[in-house]
Amino acid sequence: MTSAGRLYRGRKNVTLASLLLLVLAVALGPTPSSAAGDDWWNPTARPAPDSQVNVTGEPFTGTDAKGEVRGFVDAHDHIFSNEAFGGRLICGKPFSEQGVADALKDCPEHYPDGSLAVFDFITKGGDGKHDPVGWPTFKDWPAHDSLTHQQNYYAWVERAWRGGQRVLVNDLVTNGVICSVYFFKDRGCDEMTSIRLQAKLTYDMQSFVDKMYGGPGKGWFRIVTDSAQAREVIEQGKLAVVLGVETSEPFGCKQILDIAQCSRADIDKGLDELYALGVRSMFLCHKFDNALCGVRFDSGALGTAINVGQFLSTGTFWKTEKCTGPQRDNPIGNASAPEAEKRLPAGREVPSYSADPQCNVRGLTELGEYAVRGMMRRGMMLEIDHMSVKATGRVLDIFEAKSYPGVLSSHSWMDMDWTERVYGLGGFIAQYMHGSEGFVSEAKRTDALRDKYGVGYGYGTDMNGVGGWPAPRGADAPDKVTYPFKSVDGGSVIDRQTTGERTWNLNTDGAAHYGLVPDWIEDIRRVGGQDVVDDLFRGAESYLDTWGAAENHEAPGNLANGSAASASSSEWSLFTSYKPQRAVDGDGGTRWASDWSDDQWYQLDLGSPQLVKRVTLDWERAYAKSYRIELSTDGVNWRTASSTTAGDGGLDTARFAGTPARYVRIQGLERGTDWGYSLCEVGVHTG
């Protein structure tokens, strides 16, 4: 779920509720089908009346000549966000046993003319008025710029599947603050309660589809909980549905006045519960700093409003520092959001922020690191979008130290400078569902890296996520979509999509709902060429490669654990020990610390010669700016395996050609602080 700040530019004097909602707005012609017969992709019956799918031809099955699955990946969608935020922010349901007329109804307060469609006029502008009638006319919704109406009706998702999509990540989403400030709701605001409900309804939707095809397991909508199961589903030609979570306070892990409101036990319990529900990927923070990590900022008036919401929720404003590397968090700026700022306590003001590149001082907390490592133990994939630069950097350091591939960027909310590190780990990247010209431009910018690492590409529609979707390019646009057109594999014919009395055309309507995803991909092909679409068509294989590698990951053995350690010096303390052995005791809470001078060394005796290929150094705040890693078989003759003059602390991973060594030495040359050198843990690995 993301915010489309461009939609709100220039709006002034909106209510606090409006601004806070903006803040996190992250995110049926109808006749029964004929009997399926040999047409396994057609149900024996549909609800009558219902939406049309408007795709003919058999969906592709099996694998390609290389034995790889094929198909598109939507790495970020919100099928059931109508159940989030108190249940009345997104209007309409993805399915109903009573049929389309019951599913695609507007919210009660939108009748008779949308005058009370508060969130609609906040996000779309104007007065919010619209025709609330859904079935059968759909005069005003769904639409590419109507962010409050259901876009994921099951038959529209079916059309995307028929058009070649084979993976859909359904991110269970909500936000307690949005829920609490929105005027209309019919349930409580506890985030985990909403997540549980959305998970249940995803399984209910699977059963709903199965019923049309003759019973359990027979439908095209298949929830999968491991990569092998997903491959089997895709080889059958069906849609593999993966559950994810995107919420601001997972497991209740908010922070108030920088004090965590959760514990390690809460994290373990929460991860176990989510895993049992089938969740296999998740975000640890979103929009507000929480007890796990700091967030990547929003900008302009929207950023100011979010910052007010951050204060009202946590008791602190965003805190920034000058960025130290090429990556940066989004600039906050000093734009005014007067109505939101009025709600601050007397004497409180939103801080001013420097115009130069600023980063969130809050990175990955100790609890956040515990959650990351807990996800690794469970073979789960971590979403780094929405994490601050500092938090993302630490996550990538941790993953690199363990060679863990389970990292995702699903909708263009990370600093693009991280791209190669993600691919280098074996991670997966998807781009937000931008208009075809913008999508093609970004895809081509990163094309060389995908070729280098041999990976496919994905998209994140973020539908029902209140982000805004591709506008129409126009009936006279160059290289416009012409109907009907063939699917990418060539086996299906796709015509204009019709639901009730309304027929949509991507050229003139834009990406109004999920059923127009195939049309949008055809637009990308016409604008950007077949190469971009081919990369997208390899997305399913690459996503499953990342998932499978995370599931099957085994933490490499650490030769340093328990080995004999020595050092040039050890800082003295009356209260604790900073002796060399403390950096190889397997406890990240203890450390070795040297005297406060540059020329210091730390040495390990592995006991016998070993093939050493990788050394990890987890620095405490007292780190080395310049140092060498040296190897020796006899403790006398040393060879430099790795060196740097630009150390920045944190967790360093040095990889080099396998070298036999019994002794490993870290030679500190220049300190990064006024203190000495201090290592929490040292790792030595053969692979």
Side-chain angles (χ1 to χ4, degrees):
M1 188 173 191
T2 190
S3 302
R6 66 187 182 279
L7 298 175
Y8 317 121
R9 200 170 295 135
R11 289 192 59 79
K12 301 178 181 178
N13 300 321
V14 292
T15 65
L16 170 67
S18 302
L19 286 162
L20 288 178
L21 290 166
L22 272 176
V23 161
L24 295 168
V26 211
L28 280 169
T31 57
S33 293
S34 60
D38 293 332
D39 298 343
W40 61 267
W41 55 93
N42 286 323
T44 56
R46 292 185 187 274
D50 201 3
S51 172
Q52 296 182 33
V53 175
N54 306 104
V55 180
T56 57
E58 180 175 1
F60 59 87
T61 61
T63 58
D64 65 13
K66 298 178 181 178
E68 297 178 343
V69 298
R70 299 161 290 165
F72 305 119
V73 176
D74 180 356
H76 194 106
D77 187 30
H78 301 291
I79 297 178
F80 286 98
S81 63
N82 59 292
E83 304 292 350
F85 320 115
R88 298 263 282 276
L89 194 70
I90 307 296
C91 307
K93 298 181 287 190
F95 76 97
S96 171
E97 296 287 352
Q98 284 72 51
V100 61
D102 179 65
L104 296 181
K105 292 192 300 189
D106 214 339
C107 292
E109 55 274 7
H110 289 201
Y111 290 87
D113 62 357
S115 296
L116 292 180
V118 178
F119 197 57
D120 203 85
F121 73 71
I122 292 169
T123 55
K124 191 175 180 179
D127 58 11
K129 290 186 177 182
H130 63 274
D131 181 355
V133 176
W135 176 268
T137 57
F138 296 105
K139 178 177 181 294
D140 288 335
W141 62 271
H144 75 93
D145 56 352
S146 176
L147 311 186
T148 65
H149 294 98
Q150 180 61 245
Q151 297 174 291
N152 283 306
Y153 186 63
Y154 92 92
W156 301 338
V157 177
E158 180 181 358
R159 176 179 161 92
W161 159 63
R162 293 284 299 275
Q165 186 169 304
R166 291 296 180 267
V167 176
L168 187 157
V169 180
N170 179 31
D171 281 319
L172 316 175
V173 63
T174 192
N175 181 279
V177 174
I178 289 183
C179 176
S180 67
V181 301
Y182 192 52
F183 308 102
F184 307 106
K185 61 179 71 71
D186 53 25
R187 65 196 60 173
C189 296
D190 179 73
E191 292 189 357
M192 290 303 292
T193 299
S194 179
I195 295 302
R196 294 181 191 106
L197 174 61
Q198 292 175 55
K200 175 189 178 299
L201 288 170
T202 309
Y203 286 96
D204 288 349
M205 182 164 160
Q206 177 177 255
S207 297
F208 174 80
V209 174
D210 279 352
K211 191 182 300 183
M212 298 182 200
Y213 287 79
K218 296 187 176 181
W220 53 268
F221 185 92
R222 312 303 322 149
I223 299 169
V224 294
T225 55
D226 62 60
S227 61
Q229 185 183 23
R231 287 184 182 280
E232 181 180 355
V233 163
I234 295 170
E235 287 174 17
Q236 293 171 0
K238 299 181 180 183
L239 179 68
V241 179
V242 185
L243 296 184
V245 166
E246 182 186 36
T247 192
S248 292
E249 296 167 2
F251 331 127
C253 281
K254 70 180 298 176
Q255 55 96 10
I256 299 177
L257 297 176
D258 292 318
I259 298 174
Q261 305 298 300
C262 67
S263 65
R264 289 187 173 196
D266 294 324
I267 292 169
D268 283 330
K269 180 180 177 182
L271 285 174
D272 285 344
E273 179 183 8
L274 291 179
Y275 195 89
L277 289 173
V279 171
R280 296 297 181 266
S281 67
M282 69 177 296
F283 295 77
L284 290 182
C285 52
H286 179 243
K287 296 302 179 184
F288 293 164
D289 295 340
N290 63 23
L292 305 176
C293 49
V295 293
R296 187 166 164 83
F297 308 132
D298 284 83
S299 302
L302 178 60
T304 299
I306 293 177
N307 206 3
V308 170
Q310 153 106 3
F311 179 84
L312 296 175
S313 177
T314 69
T316 60
F317 293 107
W318 287 328
K319 299 174 185 176
T320 68
E321 61 188 2
K322 187 172 182 178
C323 300
T324 57
Q327 304 85 13
R328 59 193 63 183
D329 290 324
N330 296 322
I332 302 172
N334 295 303
S336 178
E339 291 302 316
E341 293 173 76
K342 286 178 183 177
R343 310 300 274 191
L344 292 171
R348 288 284 188 177
E349 296 182 353
V350 177
S352 295
Y353 295 96
S354 174
D356 63 347
Q358 293 288 302
C359 287
N360 195 336
V361 301
R362 194 174 185 89
L364 191 68
T365 68
E366 182 180 343
L367 284 173
E369 185 161 331
Y370 184 80
V372 168
R373 296 186 186 278
M375 292 181 68
M376 293 169 67
R377 288 193 300 273
R378 293 164 176 84
M380 298 173 73
M381 294 176 286
L382 175 65
E383 293 266 13
I384 57 174
D385 284 3
H386 291 300
M387 275 187 169
S388 68
V389 160
K390 183 176 285 188
T392 302
R394 179 65 179 179
V395 165
L396 295 178
D397 286 346
I398 292 170
F399 282 7
E400 286 168 348
K402 300 294 185 181
S403 298
Y404 188 77
V407 57
L408 304 173
S409 173
S410 63
H411 66 331
S412 303
W413 200 256
M414 73 167 184
D415 189 295
M416 290 297 102
D417 193 67
W418 297 123
T419 301
E420 185 158 16
R421 286 187 73 181
V422 172
Y423 283 146
L425 278 164
F428 184 80
I429 294 175
Q431 185 188 158
Y432 188 83
M433 190 184 184
H434 295 118
S436 54
E437 295 100 329
F439 190 95
V440 166
S441 177
E442 174 58 20
K444 290 187 173 181
R445 187 187 71 82
T446 54
D447 179 65
L449 282 176
R450 288 194 297 281
D451 287 345
K452 177 180 177 179
Y453 290 96
V455 296
Y457 203 33
Y459 49 82
T461 63
D462 201 18
M463 287 204 174
N464 286 4
V466 201
W469 297 276
R473 291 204 296 125
D476 299 321
D479 301 312
K480 68 179 182 180
V481 173
T482 58
Y483 293 92
F485 59 89
K486 285 191 174 183
S487 60
V488 173
D489 66 293
S492 297
V493 176
I494 303 168
D495 208 340
R496 295 178 180 87
Q497 200 284 314
T498 296
T499 302
E501 298 171 7
R502 177 75 186 272
T503 298
W504 283 271
N505 181 323
L506 185 82
N507 302 305
T508 53
D509 294 311
H513 62 69
Y514 208 90
L516 294 171
V517 168
D519 313 51
W520 171 73
I521 291 172
E522 173 67 4
D523 202 39
I524 287 173
R525 187 188 70 80
R526 287 179 167 270
V527 169
Q530 188 65 36
D531 287 349
V532 178
V533 176
D534 287 344
D535 271 6
L536 290 171
F537 205 56
R538 289 193 291 270
E541 177 65 31
S542 287
Y543 180 88
L544 296 185
D545 282 346
T546 294
W547 189 4
E551 290 172 318
N552 297 317
H553 178 263
E554 293 185 8
N558 184 1
L559 300 174
N561 281 349
S563 61
S566 57
S568 55
S569 64
S570 295
E571 182 182 344
W572 181 87
S573 170
L574 178 64
F575 304 103
T576 190
S577 170
Y578 298 120
K579 295 295 184 182
Q581 207 65 32
R582 305 284 273 182
V584 289
D585 60 1
D587 183 353
T590 62
R591 60 189 176 96
W592 162 73
S594 76
D595 288 345
W596 295 10
S597 60
D598 283 332
D599 191 17
Q600 303 285 338
W601 54 264
Y602 180 89
Q603 183 173 310
L604 297 176
D605 179 354
L606 304 179
S608 62
Q610 306 285 338
L611 187 66
V612 178
K613 293 184 178 180
R614 182 163 56 95
V615 173
T616 59
L617 305 175
D618 193 357
W619 297 98
E620 195 255 352
R621 286 178 296 172
Y623 66 92
K625 180 179 179 181
S626 177
Y627 65 90
R628 296 192 302 265
I629 297 175
E630 301 173 331
L631 305 177
S632 173
T633 56
D634 57 10
V636 176
N637 300 294
W638 295 89
R639 174 183 179 275
T640 299
S642 179
S643 64
T644 184
T645 59
D648 59 358
L651 182 54
D652 290 348
T653 298
R655 288 183 169 84
F656 38 82
T659 305
R662 172 174 173 172
Y663 301 93
V664 179
R665 184 167 70 188
I666 296 93
Q667 180 67 58
L669 303 174
E670 182 183 355
R671 292 167 293 156
T673 69
D674 291 334
W675 303 308
Y677 302 100
S678 186
L679 287 163
C680 295
E681 283 292 307
V682 176
V684 179
H685 307 278
T686 61

